Amino acid sequence: MFNPKEWTKQLKYIQGVVRTIYINEHTGLPKLSSTFTKEQQKELEREDRKLSLS
């Protein structure tokens, strides 16, 4: 099951373009935000907003 709390948002330059990636806290592997489903992207953004407000 997908858990947005396991992912940390970062901005990276990839081929001269800023991209949003997420790093899995357990494996350390990065994943582009566009590779998540739309529902997962919404959950990740909600979690990121919660962390920004705290």
Side-chain angles (χ1 to χ4, degrees), residues 6-32:
E6 295 177 350
W7 296 90
T8 304
K9 183 178 180 179
Q10 291 185 354
L11 298 176
K12 292 280 184 181
Y13 278 100
I14 301 174
Q15 296 180 352
V17 178
V18 176
R19 303 271 183 169
T20 302
I21 65 167
Y22 288 89
I23 307 292
N24 185 290
E25 67 180 35
H26 298 292
T27 63
L29 296 175
K31 188 172 180 179
L32 285 172

Side-chain angles (χ1 to χ4, degrees), residues 2 31 35-45:
F2 178 75
K31 188 172 180 179
T35 59
F36 290 101
T37 65
K38 294 292 181 191
E39 292 81 18
Q40 290 172 335
Q41 288 178 16
K42 288 178 186 178
E43 289 181 47
L44 288 166
E45 288 301 320

